[in-house]
Amino acid sequence: MIHFVGAGPGAPDLITLRGAKLLAEADVILYAGSLVNPALLEGRKPGCQVYNTAPMTLEEVLAVMERAGKNCEVVRFHTGDPSLYGAIREQMDALDRLNIPYDVTPGVSAFSGAAAALHAEYTLPNVSQTVIITRAEGRTPVPEGEKLRDLARHQATMVLFLSAGLLPKVQEELLAGGYPPDTPAAIVYKATWPDEKVFYCTVDSLAETAEKNGVSRTALVTVGRFLEGHYARSRLYDPTFSHGWREAQL
Ligand code: SAH
């Protein structure tokens, strides 16, 4: 059986309990060595075979899964949560064709790790109730209608994956789409890793900030007024507001 497992954003203790159990029982582990913290592998059992998929093609990954997947426990780690920029679907579809069973264990995505690093809440009342998770267009094209310039029009909270090396263009597009130049932004490098770093800036200084600090990969860019101090308090915990679990205290 193949187990796709979200490895979390970096800190090895941010894997789920289910993921850790699968890791401890695995006969074979495939992991994306460019992003999954190798410290996680310390939880494997003796004799477990380990493959770093960073230099492998999809065909090579599938060949390992096909060889081992019918009678061994195979864990395929993806960084963060596998459902985001994980290239997991093409593997699942191939396994369906090969009649090899699999399951998926979610993980803590880097965007959650980044919010923790920032001590931030992405969805503040009266500020933004929407989080746009996206990426800049680079060598991977972005569908029409999802260009940064179009998404920027909403001025919602935005989290950009895979974009730290493209910030001059990102900045230009965000500004062209309507974020005011002084909109707060933060670049979170290696969220939850021991060498995590946070760089606060504004939309019009994103490129300069990344360049000055030598950040071009393993970083998320977050944008929006959620990074400021002004917001309305939540109604959920407001004494004058009734809801299904509590009457208003008048
Ligand atoms: N599935 C992953 C994302 C994989 S795409 C998830 O849910 O987090 C890889 C991109 O994720 C990187 O280029 C970077 O933008 C971001 N990323 C992954 N780990 C990160 C971390 N610890 N801190 C900041 N960004 C990270």
Side-chain angles (χ1 to χ4, degrees), residues 9-10 35 79-86 108-111 160-163 188-193 217-220:
L35 279 167
T79 178
D81 183 78
S83 70
L84 289 171
Y85 310 108
V108 176
S109 175
F111 81 85
L160 293 136
F161 284 73
L162 297 159
S163 304
V188 185
Y189 172 74
K190 292 189 88 173
T192 82
W193 288 71
R217 57 196 304 184
T218 331
L220 285 180

mmCIF file of all heavy atoms in Angstrom, residues 9-10 35 79-86 108-111 160-163 188-193 217-220, ligand 1:
data_model
loop_
_atom_site.group_PDB
_atom_site.id
_atom_site.type_symbol
_atom_site.label_atom_id
_atom_site.label_comp_id
_atom_site.label_asym_id
_atom_site.label_seq_id
_atom_site.Cartn_x
_atom_site.Cartn_y
_atom_site.Cartn_z
ATOM 1 N N PRO A 9 5.602 21.646 7.403
ATOM 2 C CA PRO A 9 6.405 22.699 6.769
ATOM 3 C C PRO A 9 7.905 22.610 7.062
ATOM 4 O O PRO A 9 8.686 23.305 6.413
ATOM 5 C CB PRO A 9 5.824 23.981 7.360
ATOM 6 C CG PRO A 9 5.215 23.581 8.659
ATOM 7 C CD PRO A 9 4.777 22.150 8.516
ATOM 8 N N GLY A 10 8.317 21.829 8.033
ATOM 9 C CA GLY A 10 9.756 21.767 8.309
ATOM 10 C C GLY A 10 10.069 21.140 9.660
ATOM 11 O O GLY A 10 10.731 20.114 9.728
ATOM 12 N N LEU A 35 12.781 19.782 0.123
ATOM 13 C CA LEU A 35 11.948 20.532 1.066
ATOM 14 C C LEU A 35 11.582 19.776 2.344
ATOM 15 O O LEU A 35 11.335 20.395 3.374
ATOM 16 C CB LEU A 35 10.646 20.964 0.384
ATOM 17 C CG LEU A 35 10.737 22.213 -0.487
ATOM 18 C CD1 LEU A 35 9.495 22.352 -1.348
ATOM 19 C CD2 LEU A 35 10.914 23.478 0.355
ATOM 20 N N THR A 79 6.035 17.732 1.134
ATOM 21 C CA THR A 79 6.191 18.831 2.077
ATOM 22 C C THR A 79 4.836 19.501 2.358
ATOM 23 O O THR A 79 3.960 19.529 1.481
ATOM 24 C CB THR A 79 7.208 19.848 1.528
ATOM 25 O OG1 THR A 79 7.309 20.913 2.445
ATOM 26 C CG2 THR A 79 6.784 20.395 0.204
ATOM 27 N N GLY A 80 4.681 20.004 3.550
ATOM 28 C CA GLY A 80 3.441 20.702 3.902
ATOM 29 C C GLY A 80 2.252 19.770 3.799
ATOM 30 O O GLY A 80 2.266 18.656 4.328
ATOM 31 N N ASP A 81 1.225 20.224 3.109
ATOM 32 C CA ASP A 81 0.069 19.380 2.800
ATOM 33 C C ASP A 81 0.172 18.957 1.330
ATOM 34 O O ASP A 81 0.437 19.804 0.465
ATOM 35 C CB ASP A 81 -1.234 20.145 3.026
ATOM 36 C CG ASP A 81 -2.418 19.231 2.763
ATOM 37 O OD1 ASP A 81 -2.715 18.419 3.652
ATOM 38 O OD2 ASP A 81 -2.993 19.283 1.661
ATOM 39 N N PRO A 82 -0.064 17.681 1.054
ATOM 40 C CA PRO A 82 0.147 17.212 -0.331
ATOM 41 C C PRO A 82 -0.793 17.840 -1.352
ATOM 42 O O PRO A 82 -0.509 17.810 -2.548
ATOM 43 C CB PRO A 82 -0.126 15.699 -0.247
ATOM 44 C CG PRO A 82 -0.163 15.347 1.191
ATOM 45 C CD PRO A 82 -0.443 16.596 1.966
ATOM 46 N N SER A 83 -1.904 18.433 -0.897
ATOM 47 C CA SER A 83 -2.886 18.923 -1.872
ATOM 48 C C SER A 83 -2.495 20.250 -2.512
ATOM 49 O O SER A 83 -3.157 20.718 -3.433
ATOM 50 C CB SER A 83 -4.260 19.066 -1.205
ATOM 51 O OG SER A 83 -4.245 20.138 -0.288
ATOM 52 N N LEU A 84 -1.434 20.877 -2.000
ATOM 53 C CA LEU A 84 -1.030 22.173 -2.562
ATOM 54 C C LEU A 84 0.316 22.042 -3.256
ATOM 55 O O LEU A 84 1.327 21.741 -2.603
ATOM 56 C CB LEU A 84 -0.922 23.222 -1.449
ATOM 57 C CG LEU A 84 -2.241 23.681 -0.855
ATOM 58 C CD1 LEU A 84 -2.002 24.541 0.375
ATOM 59 C CD2 LEU A 84 -3.065 24.451 -1.877
ATOM 60 N N TYR A 85 0.339 22.273 -4.556
ATOM 61 C CA TYR A 85 1.571 22.247 -5.348
ATOM 62 C C TYR A 85 2.389 20.982 -5.051
ATOM 63 O O TYR A 85 3.609 21.031 -4.976
ATOM 64 C CB TYR A 85 2.401 23.518 -5.106
ATOM 65 C CG TYR A 85 1.577 24.780 -5.257
ATOM 66 C CD1 TYR A 85 1.222 25.550 -4.159
ATOM 67 C CD2 TYR A 85 1.105 25.152 -6.511
ATOM 68 C CE1 TYR A 85 0.416 26.682 -4.303
ATOM 69 C CE2 TYR A 85 0.308 26.282 -6.660
ATOM 70 C CZ TYR A 85 -0.030 27.034 -5.548
ATOM 71 O OH TYR A 85 -0.813 28.138 -5.692
ATOM 72 N N GLY A 86 1.681 19.872 -4.890
ATOM 73 C CA GLY A 86 2.357 18.641 -4.486
ATOM 74 C C GLY A 86 2.602 17.671 -5.622
ATOM 75 O O GLY A 86 3.274 16.665 -5.434
ATOM 76 N N VAL A 108 0.418 19.813 7.795
ATOM 77 C CA VAL A 108 0.366 21.253 8.085
ATOM 78 C C VAL A 108 1.070 21.969 6.931
ATOM 79 O O VAL A 108 2.252 21.757 6.693
ATOM 80 C CB VAL A 108 1.113 21.573 9.400
ATOM 81 C CG1 VAL A 108 1.134 23.073 9.649
ATOM 82 C CG2 VAL A 108 0.486 20.832 10.565
ATOM 83 N N SER A 109 0.325 22.782 6.224
ATOM 84 C CA SER A 109 0.910 23.473 5.073
ATOM 85 C C SER A 109 1.846 24.603 5.519
ATOM 86 O O SER A 109 1.699 25.156 6.618
ATOM 87 C CB SER A 109 -0.206 24.064 4.210
ATOM 88 O OG SER A 109 0.357 24.825 3.178
ATOM 89 N N ALA A 110 2.754 24.965 4.636
ATOM 90 C CA ALA A 110 3.664 26.079 4.926
ATOM 91 C C ALA A 110 2.885 27.372 5.182
ATOM 92 O O ALA A 110 3.352 28.235 5.929
ATOM 93 C CB ALA A 110 4.643 26.277 3.775
ATOM 94 N N PHE A 111 1.683 27.506 4.599
ATOM 95 C CA PHE A 111 0.978 28.778 4.839
ATOM 96 C C PHE A 111 0.504 28.867 6.285
ATOM 97 O O PHE A 111 0.417 29.951 6.855
ATOM 98 C CB PHE A 111 -0.136 29.019 3.805
ATOM 99 C CG PHE A 111 -1.428 28.328 4.036
ATOM 100 C CD1 PHE A 111 -2.403 28.874 4.851
ATOM 101 C CD2 PHE A 111 -1.690 27.112 3.409
ATOM 102 C CE1 PHE A 111 -3.613 28.233 5.050
ATOM 103 C CE2 PHE A 111 -2.901 26.468 3.598
ATOM 104 C CZ PHE A 111 -3.856 27.020 4.425
ATOM 105 N N LEU A 160 1.555 33.717 -1.373
ATOM 106 C CA LEU A 160 2.173 33.254 -2.622
ATOM 107 C C LEU A 160 3.204 32.179 -2.347
ATOM 108 O O LEU A 160 4.181 32.409 -1.628
ATOM 109 C CB LEU A 160 2.860 34.426 -3.324
ATOM 110 C CG LEU A 160 1.907 35.490 -3.846
ATOM 111 C CD1 LEU A 160 2.411 36.870 -3.536
ATOM 112 C CD2 LEU A 160 1.736 35.324 -5.342
ATOM 113 N N PHE A 161 2.970 31.009 -2.909
ATOM 114 C CA PHE A 161 3.952 29.930 -2.890
ATOM 115 C C PHE A 161 4.863 30.106 -4.108
ATOM 116 O O PHE A 161 4.486 30.743 -5.095
ATOM 117 C CB PHE A 161 3.255 28.568 -2.998
ATOM 118 C CG PHE A 161 2.593 28.101 -1.722
ATOM 119 C CD1 PHE A 161 1.424 28.679 -1.267
ATOM 120 C CD2 PHE A 161 3.140 27.060 -0.989
ATOM 121 C CE1 PHE A 161 0.811 28.244 -0.100
ATOM 122 C CE2 PHE A 161 2.526 26.606 0.172
ATOM 123 C CZ PHE A 161 1.369 27.204 0.620
ATOM 124 N N LEU A 162 6.013 29.467 -4.074
ATOM 125 C CA LEU A 162 6.854 29.272 -5.266
ATOM 126 C C LEU A 162 7.160 30.567 -6.017
ATOM 127 O O LEU A 162 7.326 30.556 -7.225
ATOM 128 C CB LEU A 162 6.138 28.293 -6.226
ATOM 129 C CG LEU A 162 5.910 26.887 -5.680
ATOM 130 C CD1 LEU A 162 4.786 26.182 -6.431
ATOM 131 C CD2 LEU A 162 7.192 26.059 -5.779
ATOM 132 N N SER A 163 7.199 31.661 -5.310
ATOM 133 C CA SER A 163 7.316 32.955 -5.994
ATOM 134 C C SER A 163 8.468 33.809 -5.510
ATOM 135 O O SER A 163 8.671 34.911 -6.026
ATOM 136 C CB SER A 163 6.003 33.750 -5.807
ATOM 137 O OG SER A 163 4.904 33.012 -6.275
ATOM 138 N N VAL A 188 8.262 35.104 4.551
ATOM 139 C CA VAL A 188 8.605 34.149 5.612
ATOM 140 C C VAL A 188 9.489 33.068 5.008
ATOM 141 O O VAL A 188 9.056 32.289 4.159
ATOM 142 C CB VAL A 188 7.350 33.525 6.254
ATOM 143 C CG1 VAL A 188 7.751 32.636 7.425
ATOM 144 C CG2 VAL A 188 6.388 34.606 6.704
ATOM 145 N N TYR A 189 10.732 33.050 5.457
ATOM 146 C CA TYR A 189 11.719 32.101 4.944
ATOM 147 C C TYR A 189 11.789 30.909 5.892
ATOM 148 O O TYR A 189 11.918 31.065 7.098
ATOM 149 C CB TYR A 189 13.083 32.810 4.858
ATOM 150 C CG TYR A 189 14.238 31.904 4.529
ATOM 151 C CD1 TYR A 189 14.409 31.403 3.241
ATOM 152 C CD2 TYR A 189 15.174 31.542 5.504
ATOM 153 C CE1 TYR A 189 15.475 30.565 2.938
ATOM 154 C CE2 TYR A 189 16.242 30.712 5.205
ATOM 155 C CZ TYR A 189 16.379 30.224 3.919
ATOM 156 O OH TYR A 189 17.426 29.388 3.619
ATOM 157 N N LYS A 190 11.653 29.722 5.335
ATOM 158 C CA LYS A 190 11.775 28.465 6.093
ATOM 159 C C LYS A 190 10.959 28.467 7.391
ATOM 160 O O LYS A 190 11.482 28.211 8.492
ATOM 161 C CB LYS A 190 13.242 28.128 6.357
ATOM 162 C CG LYS A 190 13.972 27.761 5.058
ATOM 163 C CD LYS A 190 15.342 27.208 5.271
ATOM 164 C CE LYS A 190 15.339 25.717 5.469
ATOM 165 N NZ LYS A 190 16.711 25.156 5.514
ATOM 166 N N ALA A 191 9.679 28.756 7.251
ATOM 167 C CA ALA A 191 8.776 28.753 8.413
ATOM 168 C C ALA A 191 8.912 27.431 9.166
ATOM 169 O O ALA A 191 8.924 26.363 8.549
ATOM 170 C CB ALA A 191 7.335 28.921 7.929
ATOM 171 N N THR A 192 9.035 27.529 10.455
ATOM 172 C CA THR A 192 9.107 26.416 11.435
ATOM 173 C C THR A 192 10.444 25.664 11.424
ATOM 174 O O THR A 192 10.628 24.741 12.225
ATOM 175 C CB THR A 192 7.936 25.385 11.337
ATOM 176 O OG1 THR A 192 8.198 24.446 10.291
ATOM 177 C CG2 THR A 192 6.591 26.046 11.153
ATOM 178 N N TRP A 193 11.368 26.003 10.528
ATOM 179 C CA TRP A 193 12.713 25.397 10.568
ATOM 180 C C TRP A 193 13.540 26.163 11.599
ATOM 181 O O TRP A 193 13.213 27.315 11.941
ATOM 182 C CB TRP A 193 13.410 25.512 9.206
ATOM 183 C CG TRP A 193 12.878 24.636 8.120
ATOM 184 C CD1 TRP A 193 11.688 24.774 7.468
ATOM 185 C CD2 TRP A 193 13.526 23.487 7.534
ATOM 186 N NE1 TRP A 193 11.547 23.787 6.512
ATOM 187 C CE2 TRP A 193 12.666 22.990 6.527
ATOM 188 C CE3 TRP A 193 14.752 22.855 7.749
ATOM 189 C CZ2 TRP A 193 12.989 21.872 5.747
ATOM 190 C CZ3 TRP A 193 15.073 21.746 6.969
ATOM 191 C CH2 TRP A 193 14.192 21.264 5.988
ATOM 192 N N ARG A 217 14.281 31.418 -2.381
ATOM 193 C CA ARG A 217 13.544 30.145 -2.377
ATOM 194 C C ARG A 217 13.135 29.773 -0.958
ATOM 195 O O ARG A 217 13.542 30.422 -0.007
ATOM 196 C CB ARG A 217 14.399 29.057 -3.000
ATOM 197 C CG ARG A 217 15.747 28.894 -2.295
ATOM 198 C CD ARG A 217 16.703 28.128 -3.129
ATOM 199 N NE ARG A 217 16.080 26.846 -3.468
ATOM 200 C CZ ARG A 217 16.693 25.890 -4.136
ATOM 201 N NH1 ARG A 217 17.917 26.071 -4.561
ATOM 202 N NH2 ARG A 217 16.090 24.750 -4.386
ATOM 203 N N THR A 218 12.333 28.699 -0.848
ATOM 204 C CA THR A 218 11.825 28.211 0.442
ATOM 205 C C THR A 218 11.229 29.342 1.274
ATOM 206 O O THR A 218 11.475 29.446 2.475
ATOM 207 C CB THR A 218 12.922 27.485 1.258
ATOM 208 O OG1 THR A 218 13.849 26.901 0.347
ATOM 209 C CG2 THR A 218 12.313 26.403 2.127
ATOM 210 N N ALA A 219 10.467 30.167 0.609
ATOM 211 C CA ALA A 219 9.838 31.276 1.325
ATOM 212 C C ALA A 219 8.413 31.477 0.809
ATOM 213 O O ALA A 219 8.112 31.155 -0.338
ATOM 214 C CB ALA A 219 10.645 32.551 1.121
ATOM 215 N N LEU A 220 7.594 31.994 1.676
ATOM 216 C CA LEU A 220 6.235 32.382 1.285
ATOM 217 C C LEU A 220 6.154 33.893 1.352
ATOM 218 O O LEU A 220 6.764 34.515 2.227
ATOM 219 C CB LEU A 220 5.207 31.813 2.255
ATOM 220 C CG LEU A 220 4.897 30.338 2.152
ATOM 221 C CD1 LEU A 220 3.864 29.974 3.205
ATOM 222 C CD2 LEU A 220 4.366 29.995 0.778
HETATM 223 N N1 SAH B 1 2.666 21.337 -0.320
HETATM 224 C C1 SAH B 1 3.480 22.385 0.243
HETATM 225 C C2 SAH B 1 3.914 23.402 -0.803
HETATM 226 C C3 SAH B 1 4.864 22.818 -1.843
HETATM 227 S S1 SAH B 1 5.396 23.986 -3.013
HETATM 228 C C4 SAH B 1 2.728 23.036 1.416
HETATM 229 O O1 SAH B 1 1.549 22.755 1.642
HETATM 230 O O2 SAH B 1 3.345 23.840 2.113
HETATM 231 C C5 SAH B 1 6.936 24.496 -2.379
HETATM 232 C C6 SAH B 1 6.870 25.938 -1.932
HETATM 233 O O3 SAH B 1 6.237 25.995 -0.660
HETATM 234 C C7 SAH B 1 8.206 26.618 -1.724
HETATM 235 O O4 SAH B 1 8.696 27.141 -2.914
HETATM 236 C C8 SAH B 1 7.846 27.719 -0.769
HETATM 237 O O5 SAH B 1 7.194 28.777 -1.443
HETATM 238 C C9 SAH B 1 6.797 27.038 0.080
HETATM 239 N N2 SAH B 1 7.356 26.462 1.316
HETATM 240 C C10 SAH B 1 7.475 25.162 1.645
HETATM 241 N N3 SAH B 1 7.948 25.016 2.903
HETATM 242 C C11 SAH B 1 8.116 26.271 3.378
HETATM 243 C C12 SAH B 1 8.536 26.812 4.637
HETATM 244 N N4 SAH B 1 8.875 26.019 5.648
HETATM 245 N N5 SAH B 1 8.569 28.154 4.779
HETATM 246 C C13 SAH B 1 8.204 28.971 3.770
HETATM 247 N N6 SAH B 1 7.789 28.526 2.572
HETATM 248 C C14 SAH B 1 7.746 27.203 2.376
#
